[in-house]
């Protein structure tokens, strides 16, 4: 059996071609017959993509405009993959986190992060630092609320991660395995059933470029106009800095790129991101300079701010120099403190000063309000309360499925 979500439309066309051949008339050449079969197979593949990805039909028998023969062949050879939801949980800010069971009993997480137009990330400065819930306004609205103008799916690319970034809970757990193409695509497909997802970020569990071929193929499927039909600007791959893979990515698929930078000297960055020992800041930024950006597009540099480690004005000054000449914007992410880490969050004033330094120098710098903190769905915190994919289940924190949470720490 082939999983439908592992197929690009071109691959599906190839599979359908032998079924799409017409009876040859004596005057027809092999070339003509092949051309006709390709045309018919392409039409059928489009129909099937529409049924599955746009109408969310998973039963071949319900695809009424497909021939009986074709439906029979599909039933025997192709399966529409489903992720089964083990748990889901909604945070006070509307962020919704899902724990999926995979067929080998591993688990992965995806998150829907809603945002409304009027919610600017710069609003950070006006928030109450004493808020017991999170750094924003509890909204108590679901992801299906019409209030949201953007619904971002944050998806996983691996079970665990090998990169071992020191500030990241997934990194602490190590790599279990790569996700297959259908497991990546289906996260978006499942989330789209729940809410009209507008953006995709590969910022969940895993280093997407470490699972390069599967991630690239999944992007091709997500970009397909007959399928989930995301635009290249709406898909962002975030990497810790695998330089050769960044170079290759630019040649293979047109999506947005985000770099998890988090340091302004090699010494500093290597201390928190071991990947920097292999590809240092200079090599990484060299790859960014060569990355083929389309017009009006920018690379996003994510910068997790860690108290007394990378949050000084000297860091801001070095950062300004480092990214000079690269069309870019900076996302400052004040660290989310959790009991699995000794790192601390800088004060609001420090973050504000850092941001101001950059903005005074005409650098676009936003402060990302970490979403879903009460359910630990924020950056670098995925999988923390669901337990690890290696079978250490820590579900005792759960008060029940879909209950708004008041948890703030990992037990
Ligand atoms: S921050 Fe990203 S790359 Fe680093 S360990 Fe965590 S999941 Fe892996």
């Amino acid at each position: 059996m082939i999983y439908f979500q592992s197929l690009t439309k071109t691959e599906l066309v190839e599979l359908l071609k032998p079924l799409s051949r017409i009876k040859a008339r004596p005057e027809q050449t092999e070339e003509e017959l092949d051309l006709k079969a390709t045309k018919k197979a392409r039409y059928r593949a489009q129909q099937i993509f529409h049924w599955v990805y746009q109408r969310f039909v998973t039963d071949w028998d319900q695809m009424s405009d497909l021939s009986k023969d074709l439906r029979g062949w599909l039933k025997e050879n192709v399966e529409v993959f489903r992720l089964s939801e083990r748990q889901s949980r909604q945070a006070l800010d509307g962020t919704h986190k899902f724990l999926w069971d995979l067929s080998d009993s591993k688990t992965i997480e995806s998150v829907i992060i809603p945002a409304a137009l009027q919610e600017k990330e710069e609003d950070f400065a006006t928030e109450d630092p004493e808020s017991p819930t999170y750094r924003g306004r509890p909204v108590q609205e679901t992801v299906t609320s019409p209030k949201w103008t953007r619904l971002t799916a944050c998806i996983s690319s691996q079970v665990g991660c090998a990169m071992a970034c020191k500030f990241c809970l997934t990194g602490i757990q190590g790599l279990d395995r790569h996700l297959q193409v259908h497991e990546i695509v289906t996260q978006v497909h499942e989330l789209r059933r729940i809410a009209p997802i507008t953006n995709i970020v590969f910022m969940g569990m895993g280093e997407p470029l470490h699972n390069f071929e599967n991630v690239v193929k999944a992007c091709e499927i997500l970009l397909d106009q007959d399928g989930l039909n995301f635009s290249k600007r709406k898909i962002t791959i975030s990497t810790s800095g695998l330089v050769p893979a960044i170079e290759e990515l630019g040649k293979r698929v047109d999506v947005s790129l985000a770099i998890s930078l988090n340091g302004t000297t090699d010494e500093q960055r290597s201390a928190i991101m071991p990947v920097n020992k292999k590809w240092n800041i200079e090599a990484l930024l060299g790859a960014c300079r060569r990355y083929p950006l389309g017009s009006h597009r920018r690379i996003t540099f994510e910068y997790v701010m860690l108290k007394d480690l990378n949050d000084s004005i000297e860091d801001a000054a070095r950062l300004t120099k480092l990214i000079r000449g690269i069309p870019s914007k900076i996302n400052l992410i004040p660290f989310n403190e959790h009991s699995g880490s000794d790192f601390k969050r800088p004060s609001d004033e420090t973050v504000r000063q850092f941001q101001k330094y950059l903005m005074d120098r005409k650098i676009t710098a936003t402060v990302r309000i970490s979403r879903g903190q009460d359910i630990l769905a924020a950056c670098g915190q995925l999988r923390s309360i669901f337990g690890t994919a290696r079978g250490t289940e820590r579900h005792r924190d759960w008060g029940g499925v879909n209950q708004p949470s008041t948890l703030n720490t990992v037990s």
Side-chain angles (χ1 to χ4, degrees), residues 89 129 140 147 214 241 258 279 320 328 371:
R89 196 164 194 175
Q140 299 282 16
K147 163 194 164 118
N214 289 342
W279 294 289
T320 307
S328 58
R371 306 296 303 271

Side-chain angles (χ1 to χ4, degrees), residues 161 163-165 167-168 170-171 204 206-207 240:
C161 183
M163 296 298 124
C165 301
F167 51 84
C168 171
T170 306
E207 160 55 67
S240 60

Side-chain angles (χ1 to χ4, degrees), residues 158 160-172 203-208 239-240 260 273 379-380:
Q158 296 177 312
C161 183
M163 296 298 124
C165 301
K166 296 280 189 292
F167 51 84
C168 171
L169 279 170
T170 306
I172 290 166
M203 292 183 190
M205 289 160 54
E207 160 55 67
T239 177
S240 60
S260 191
M273 300 182 72
C379 180

Side-chain angles (χ1 to χ4, degrees), residues 6 22 86-87 120 126 171 183 194 215 340 367:
S6 70
I22 51 165
R86 182 188 288 197
Q87 305 263 23
K120 293 201 187 102
T126 66
E183 293 168 327
I194 296 161
V215 166
V367 177

Side-chain angles (χ1 to χ4, degrees), residues 150 152 198-203 219 222-223 229-237 253-258 291-300 329:
R150 195 175 65 213
T152 302
T198 57
N199 296 59
I200 301 169
V201 291
F202 282 80
M203 292 183 190
C219 287
L222 295 169
L223 288 163
N229 192 20
F230 283 91
S231 93
K232 55 196 176 187
R233 288 172 185 270
K234 304 283 184 181
I235 300 180
T236 301
I237 291 187
V253 67
D254 190 2
V255 290
S256 298
L257 180 68
Y291 193 77
L293 285 173
S295 58
H296 307 301
R297 288 172 74 189
R298 297 184 284 184
I299 291 176
T300 302
K329 58 181 174 178

Side-chain angles (χ1 to χ4, degrees), residues 28 67 97 106 147 154 170 186 227 238 278 345 384 406:
Q28 283 181 309
S67 70
K97 176 172 169 176
K106 314 274 184 210
K147 163 194 164 118
C154 176
T170 306
T186 306
S238 172
K278 189 149 189 188
R345 180 189 180 101
S384 47
T406 51

